Amino acid sequence: MREVAIADVPKLPVGPVGRQGLGSWGMGTLIATEAALFAYLLFAYYYLGATAQPHWLLEPHPALKLAVPNTIILLISSGAAWLGERGVLQRRRGEALAGFGAATVLGIVFVVIQYFEWHAKPFKMGASSYASLYFVTTGFHIAHVLIGILVLMALFVWTALDYFSPRRRLTVTAGAFYWHFVDVVWLFLFTTYYVTPYLGFGQ
Amino acid sequence: MRAPDFRVPAVGPDNPEHQARLLELWEGEPGLKGFLSTVDHKKIGIRYIVTAFILLVLGGIESLVMRWQLASPNAHVLTPDQYNVLFSTHGMTMIFLYASPILSGFSNYLWPLMFGSRDMAFPRLNALSYWIYLASAIFLYVGFLTGNGPNDGWFNYVPYATRDYNPGLNQDFYSLGMVFLGTSTTMGAANFIVTAFRTRCPGMSINRVPMLLWGTLTANVANLLVVPAVSLAFFLLWLERQFGTHFFDHSNGGQPLLWQHLFWMFGHPWVYAIVLPAMSMVSEGLPVFCRRPLVGYSVVALSTVATMILGFGVWVHHMFATGLPGLGLSFFSGASIAIVFPSAVAIFAWLATIWLGRPVITTAFLYFASMILMFVIGGVSGFMTASVPVDWQLTDTYFVVAHIHYVLIGINVFPVLGAVYYWFPKMTGRLMDERLGRWNFWITFIGFNLAFLPMHLTGLFGMPRRVYTYGPDMGWNTLNMITTIGSFVLALGVLLFIVNVVKSLRTGAAAGANPWDAATLEWSIPSPPPPYNFGVIPIVASRHPLWEGRLTEATATSSLDRGFLLDEGKETMGTSALDAEPNMILEMPEDTLAPLLLTVGVSILFVGLLLKLWTAVAAGAVVAAVAIVMWLWPRAQLREREPEPAQPPQREPRHA
Amino acid sequence: MSSTTPLSYLSAAGDRAGTILPLTWFTLIVSIVVCVVIAVLLYVGVSRRRVRQTAQIQQVPVTQAPGGLRWISVGLAISAVPLVITLVWTLSALAATSGPPAHPGLTIDVTPHQWWWDIQYEGERPSDIFNTANEIHIPVGVPVLVRLHGGDVIHSFWVPQLSGKTDAIPGQINLSWLEASTPGRYRGQCQEYCGAEHANMGFEVVAQTPDDFRRWRADQLSPAPPANTAALQHGQEVVEFRCGLCHQVRGTGAGGRAAPDLTHIMSRRMLAAATLPNNPGTLVAWIQTSQELKPGTLMPDQFLTATELPDVQAYLETLK
């Protein structure tokens, strides 16, 4: 039998290039496990809601006046993060810094508004299972947002230090991916806590 | 001069000069600093194995004390509380601190050697997952040793676990300790998944991978998705106990069954995760001792995945007695019966391999072959519990205890003991003593079956689980005495195993690279392997590279002596997920203290949470944050960033 | 009932357990047969072609005889037979035994506590309702609906000779049912770990002829007899003042509901949730040193004095 041919190997990238690299896979696994975590939190909501006595919702029509703008702010921040990544891809450092900076600021605004929303709620965490779930679930989300803010700040600093280029920027892609994930999770949480009551769940 | 972003990897023969270069690149620092900062998967793998064995022994001692109490009715060796802490700690130790880490240890050690690679995908993460495992084990055992061990079983049902009924620190140690441990398991899962798909050597397409990949990869994909369920459950329990939430208490809209759902959505996949890798180890070793390839490779691989997938859909069979509606019970009963199919595939494949091969009896072979029978015994008792009405009688009796020990000891411990006999020569360069091995095997086998076979009858006679004593007129006296005697014989067998390991480390016969004339890549390198594993990255052409001259499965031979040199740094080959075509040169990180530092920070944080010392929590978080920043700071050597602006040419050391 | 193995479920004395029993035996026998077959295949497979001399493994050639896949397909095909039978039989047995009966002849509410069983017999009029503890009487041949209430933690109600087990979970009412076909005394046990004395939380179900059951029920409904001697009055006073904090004796001032109803304690065969026989010696020992007999039980040692104890004992012995 002949030995396998190994002569025709092309030029290979050394280390991560563009978005090809082990870091993409690693971030993918992180997102998969965190998504599972939120799935279980939502399971707890739907399970307790479905097996609860009537009037489980402490707010039959949850106030949207802070939650909707906050959702929009988070969506815009994802756009800003995308802009930041694009700035790195196209070697426009100013655009990159503006994008990461804006995303960071918008993320902080989201946290602050959520803080006010928590205070505006007529119930505290220990009031009932609904209250506990609301605060703990949004609390988990805020924890992920805070970590995401730290990630965006790090991307800002490293971009300012000229670390990245279109070729060497997997960190940026992974970090932005994480921020988009945090945004998508919020959409699921928002739908569950703010939309399904209007559709009749938990009444 | 800027290192090139692309290059054609050099191909050439392995030779001593090249090996010396690699040694310089890959050798770790000596002494304590090297010990604490290593990211070498072989060292980490052995640490996992040693630590897990220590915990196995601790868990075993706990069970011996329990068996002493249960040897006769109304005994007074232990108080009820002492017994209850012991059985809970025994379960926690064996299921969480032994059964999964031991398998992680073997796969950690073996995967790069089997894949023709120089390390796992994320070596630093690998080190971190070990340190956190060790730290969480210490955290949990500090609880036990200070009289605050878990006391509500390993499954920890509410309301008994809530503060009303359990005011001490027991449940807080357990809850926080499990969240802590869960992070290690998750990190390990991420590492195994990426390693499996991106670091196999060229030519090792997905239908040529060693069987150990299938079991371990399946288990780790499952872990990635289900560990959050149990971590969440324990975290919610801690909040319930300490901050007055109402997830589980029915008077405020909570549900005791929420705990059971979250726990078993994790728990059932987990029990497959702690046996599928071990089954794959049997699929590695048994064929070698039968002098032929495993029968039905593809079917066994697919059935491994199918078992895990079905395993996500059966968790309610732990809750058949909780008053759920009949439709749900029927579905889960059906699924639990259906899962027998894929799990049985391996049994037939192994039997066929034995019948169509020529068994060579070694101690390793005896462990791998005997587990087939114990797997079946454990499997049929599980099949019995899959039927809801039958389960309504069997559940929570010693019948289930017999079942779980046959599946756990039969499908995890026996393969592990066999795996030690099989791979000890590779890890240490020495063979284990075969004569002592036979004694070890037979005493373990007899002791185990003496202890647990009669237990089926004890269960059919109705003895409940988790009882510290029993009355003299229940008909269980003799059976319990036999089980106790058997457990001590089993312990003797394990002791002989340890003696054999220690003795063989010192005076075992030299093994050479391939003492078993096996087929897979780990046997093509020296025993023990050098730090860089492979002088050249090989290119494989079949499932059994070292048997190619003797089988007809391949049309070409693997290239083992000539391959990719990858010696311009700490490098290994990255390949595509399914076809394993080379597509990247991976730069591997140097040894670093960041994982250990991060572990220290997170440990302080958890101790702070336990004692509600918020300054400690903050301090731990700060230490952890510093370690993470240190770790993730983009490095030129790893090509995570552009290098510094070009300096005037001067002689630089070749490795950064 | 099997007197040597009271909690065995390899025999049955009632319909519900009786429907499950053949399926249990079927799966058990299939399991044993499978184990024996595999053991034989394993043993023969290993012995018949094994390398007999202590050869170097390298000298045993590597081959690849074909035909292995047939083992897998035949094995799976043969396995399918008992699996399918079990599935179908399971679904039918599940339908037959789930219940609850449409027209139960008797309804009882069982509330398990750490570590005893409170049983309330339902009736149409409030005066027909009474509580007892740890010993359930049912008439033979009548389906009995058992409503399981969660008390403190999760417990599980199990009388193997009559029925499979059902958990009692706080926050929900689970339904179980029993029907005994022959008179007798059947052992029950808590089968979900519930804390320190889970091991000592048994109970008994006494199946009686309908006449005997009616008599028993009428007796249980009657309040405690009046104390008509000085010693008995003294005993009743102590019981009201001390025991009455937790226990109820209907017809006296002892009105606690946190512990077993004692109105007819002498009618029960056992004490402390089927842990101790009910005789004068154990009764006194239980009152004075319950912590030694069942460590962790929620009843503290009573330390009755030498003047109190005999009178209390005499009084309790009137509570038949």
Side-chain angles (χ1 to χ4, degrees), chain A residues 1-4 6 12-15 20 25 29 33 40 43 47-48 51 126 129 132 158 163 165 167-168, chain B residues 5-7 190 224-225 246 252-253 255 257 265 539 548 554 556-557 583-585 587 633-634 639 641-642:
Chain A
M1 281 189 288
R2 56 171 180 82
E3 225 182 46
V4 283
I6 47 174
L12 298 180
V14 181
Q20 309 297 335
W25 283 71
T29 58
T33 203
Y40 294 113
F43 165 80
Y47 177 72
L48 289 185
T51 55
S129 61
S132 301
W158 292 333
Y163 278 4
S165 67
R167 203 168 266 177
R168 301 293 185 204
Chain B
D5 291 339
F6 293 82
R7 72 172 206 264
L224 194 73
L225 299 175
H246 296 293
N252 282 287
Q255 282 283 3
L257 286 183
M265 284 196 273
I539 300 97
E548 273 159 4
T557 54
N583 62 11
M584 182 179 298
I585 295 171
E587 299 291 333
W633 198 272
R639 309 294 197 273
R641 51 162 284 203
E642 290 295 336

Side-chain angles (χ1 to χ4, degrees), chain B residues 320-326 329 392, chain C residues 16 97-102 104 106-110 122 144-150 156-157 163-169 172-178:
Chain B
F320 278 158
T322 57
L324 295 171
L329 295 179
W392 281 343
Chain C
R16 197 177 185 205
T97 56
S98 289
L106 172 66
T107 300
I108 56 177
D109 284 279
V110 174
E122 297 312 319
V144 176
L145 178 65
V146 178
R147 292 199 289 233
L148 292 163
H149 299 258
S156 195
F157 178 83
S163 158
K165 59 187 68 80
T166 307
D167 292 348
I169 299 173
Q172 60 193 72
I173 299 178
N174 281 346
L175 300 178
S176 180
W177 62 277
L178 310 170

Side-chain angles (χ1 to χ4, degrees), chain B residues 344-413:
Chain B
V345 167
I347 296 290
F348 300 122
W350 293 329
L351 285 172
T353 306
I354 291 174
W355 272 74
L356 298 173
R358 286 219 66 192
V360 176
I361 314 290
T362 61
T363 307
F365 173 79
L366 288 171
Y367 275 111
F368 292 146
S370 63
M371 71 77 71
I372 297 174
L373 179 59
M374 292 184 295
F375 181 153
V376 169
I377 296 175
V380 294
S381 56
F383 146 75
M384 286 180 68
T385 60
S387 167
V388 175
V390 178
D391 187 67
W392 281 343
Q393 296 286 37
L394 299 171
T395 193
D396 255 291
T397 67
Y398 261 77
F399 191 86
V400 179
V401 183
H403 162 70
I404 61 182
H405 286 87
Y406 266 92
V407 291
L408 290 172
I409 299 182
I411 323 181
N412 179 299
V413 177

Side-chain angles (χ1 to χ4, degrees), chain C residues 204-225:
Chain C
E204 294 194 321
V205 174
V206 182
Q208 301 174 298
T209 64
D211 284 335
D212 286 341
F213 174 74
R214 263 193 294 276
R215 254 194 300 278
W216 174 85
R217 189 175 186 162
D219 278 340
Q220 293 285 316
L221 271 168
S222 60

Side-chain angles (χ1 to χ4, degrees), chain C residues 4-60:
Chain C
T4 51
T5 49
L7 279 179
S8 165
Y9 43 94
L10 292 175
S11 56
D15 239 6
R16 197 177 185 205
T19 310
I20 300 175
L21 190 58
L23 181 54
T24 307
W25 276 109
F26 171 72
T27 52
L28 185 60
I29 290 170
V30 163
S31 300
I32 294 173
V33 167
V34 166
C35 293
V36 169
V37 167
I38 299 285
V40 167
L41 283 174
L42 184 60
Y43 180 75
V44 173
V46 171
S47 348
R48 79 188 179 110
R49 296 228 307 155
R50 74 178 187 276
V51 172
R52 288 185 188 274
Q53 322 89 304
T54 323
Q56 281 288 67
I57 193 167
Q58 285 84 352
Q59 290 163 15
V60 184

